Each structure stands twice: as C-alpha cells, then as structure tokens.
Amino acid sequence: MTVSLEVSDGVGTIRLDRPPMNALDVATQDRLRELAEEATRRDDVRAVVLYGGEKVFAAGADIKEMQAMDHAAMVMRSKALQDSFTAVARIPKPVVAAVTGYALGGGCELALCADFRIAGDNAKLGQPEILLGLIPGAGGTQRLARLVGPAKAKDLIFTGRHVRAEEALTMGLVDRVVPAAEVYEQAHAWAAKLAKGPALALRAAKEAVDAGLETDIDTGLTIERTWFAGLFATEDRERGMRSFVEEGPGKAKFL
C-alpha cells in the first residue's frame, strides 16, 4: 500500500509510503481519500497525523504519469485530485502534518490540509508547478492564500521557489520547527493530547473556524452560535462543566 492508516492512543497516522520521494500518483491520491474517509468514520480515531516518513513528506505529483495526460484526461481527473485532498481537509477531527524533508507541489498542498504543521529543521516547502508551465491544482492557490495571505502565496506560486523551515515559520506556512528526528514524536504528542479532549466540541470548533472563513462575519457568527448552543445537549459539555465546578478548571476527563 502506498498509504496506510495506523491507530494508537486515539491517534490515526496516515502514512505515505511510496519510495523514494512519496510521489502522489493517481493510486496514492485515491488511497489517501479512502483513508481520510475511514479516519472520519472511525470512533477510535480522535485525531490524525499526516506523515511521510523520516526523510521526505511528499515531493509532489508523479510527473511522468502527469506528462502522459492530455487536456481531456486532466479534465476528467482534476476533480478527483482535489477531492482526495479535500477529504483530508474535511476530517472533522484535529489533524497535524509532520513534515520532514521535501513538501513540494502536491506535498505542500497536502500539508495545507492539516490544522497544524510541525516541520523538521530539514524541511523545504514550495509550490513549484509554475516551473512546469502549470499552477497548483490540488488546492494550493486557495488554501495557501488563505493561510499566509495573497502576497506571500503569489510569491511562492509565481516563482516556484522552495522555502526552508525557518522562512516557512516566519511566513506562517508552518507552525513549529523542531529537530528533524523529533517531528513525528512531537506531532503524535500534539494529536494525542487533543485526542483526549471533547470530540464533539473539537469538531464544532474546527467546522466553525473553517466554515466561518469562507463567509461573511454575520454568517460566521450564526455558525458559531448554532454550534455553541448545540453543544449544551452533549454529555461532554455536562461532564466538562461539572468537573469545573467540583474540581476546578482543566481536570475534566472526556470519553
């Protein structure tokens, strides 16, 4: 399998494994979508880590495979390509990308689908599609601009340049830089901590933020208000408030 899902401590690790560079061919894209949907369904998966291994996250699309496609073939394929990444972005649970080595093109776009990105000090990220006479096609023009702003996104997309981990941190493309050998450990620890939290409230928080960013402030506040009130019907809310009153803040244990 080019992509696998392994679960421990409530954390599902979606692992890319297509040596040597984890190139994202059609089969890998489709498998990624399947496992993202599985992680969404499974109750024992409460948070997710995206990981490509110790040496590389994903160096982009399979260029040889793409070169063989003409316009008609890509018209038919492009939505499935985007859908595979969107399935990851829409996992209704906390998702962290553990980025080592190259995260270029589709690899960078996959990292953009996470809620949080931890990069190794050896990481290099970028959207080099312009060097192929293309633009990003798996969400890069949209998710990158929303994350770092249009000017920084255009810089990366127009030039196709790679940025090292520290510059990526400065521009907001990644959220933490750690020694390369510690990337997965720290990503898993972040996810495991959140996996112990209230699942419905975390889902609500993610959807409220993500959906709110796509609309005007009044509609966003309506989304927030609806989720906020709805959570008063949950056992997690009852458990959290009871613990606060009886034991003090931060001591609630959620199922």
Side-chain angles (χ1 to χ4, degrees):
M1 291 291 186
T2 58
V3 191
S4 61
L5 173 62
E6 298 178 356
V7 183
S8 65
D9 300 325
V11 178
T13 298
I14 295 178
R15 167 71 188 272
L16 300 172
D17 188 14
R18 189 170 183 251
M21 301 300 288
N22 288 337
L24 299 165
D25 65 347
V26 166
T28 302
Q29 296 164 22
D30 290 345
R31 182 64 177 156
L32 183 62
R33 187 194 76 253
E34 291 171 3
L35 291 181
E37 292 170 351
E38 181 181 339
T40 294
R41 292 191 305 268
R42 288 178 58 166
D43 291 337
D44 61 333
V45 176
R46 296 172 66 97
V48 173
V49 174
L50 305 176
Y51 184 51
E54 296 178 358
K55 295 182 179 180
V56 62
F57 185 70
D62 188 319
I63 303 303
K64 290 183 179 179
E65 183 182 65
M66 287 179 61
Q67 186 182 20
M69 295 183 179
D70 59 12
H71 173 254
M74 188 49 75
V75 167
M76 295 299 294
R77 181 63 204 172
S78 57
K79 186 175 186 304
L81 165 63
Q82 289 188 345
D83 287 349
S84 65
F85 285 67
T86 297
V88 176
R90 290 183 179 170
I91 294 172
K93 302 165 185 181
V95 178
V96 57
V99 181
T100 55
Y102 290 113
L104 303 175
C108 186
E109 289 171 302
L110 180 57
L112 291 172
C113 293
D115 302 305
F116 195 78
R117 281 153 291 279
I118 297 177
D121 53 15
N122 66 341
K124 292 183 180 180
L125 300 92
Q127 299 289 167
E129 290 88 351
I130 203 75
L131 305 178
L132 301 173
L134 295 170
I135 66 171
T141 65
Q142 302 304 303
R143 294 191 178 98
L144 183 59
R146 284 166 169 77
L147 182 65
V148 304
K152 292 184 179 69
K154 288 174 182 175
D155 170 26
L156 294 184
I157 294 168
F158 289 3
T159 65
R161 71 186 183 90
H162 304 172
V163 294
R164 294 182 181 275
E166 289 299 335
E167 183 179 358
L169 180 64
T170 299
M171 69 168 51
L173 179 52
V174 302
D175 302 289
R176 186 185 303 168
V177 175
V178 302
E182 299 177 14
V183 170
Y184 180 73
E185 178 185 354
Q186 293 208 26
H188 193 280
W190 183 89
K193 180 178 180 180
L194 292 180
K196 296 177 182 178
L200 287 175
L202 286 165
R203 177 176 187 152
K206 180 167 181 172
E207 182 163 324
V209 172
D210 289 351
L213 286 172
E214 306 303 320
T215 188
D216 61 90
I217 183 67
D218 288 337
T219 303
L221 288 169
T222 298
I223 294 169
E224 178 185 89
R225 182 170 70 247
T226 301
W227 271 113
F228 175 72
L231 288 169
F232 274 74
T234 67
E235 182 180 340
D236 280 345
R237 190 280 307 184
E238 186 176 323
R239 183 184 300 272
M241 287 192 165
R242 183 173 62 249
S243 175
F244 182 93
V245 171
E246 295 176 358
E247 305 173 279
K251 297 180 180 179
K253 291 181 172 57
F254 300 99
L255 300 178

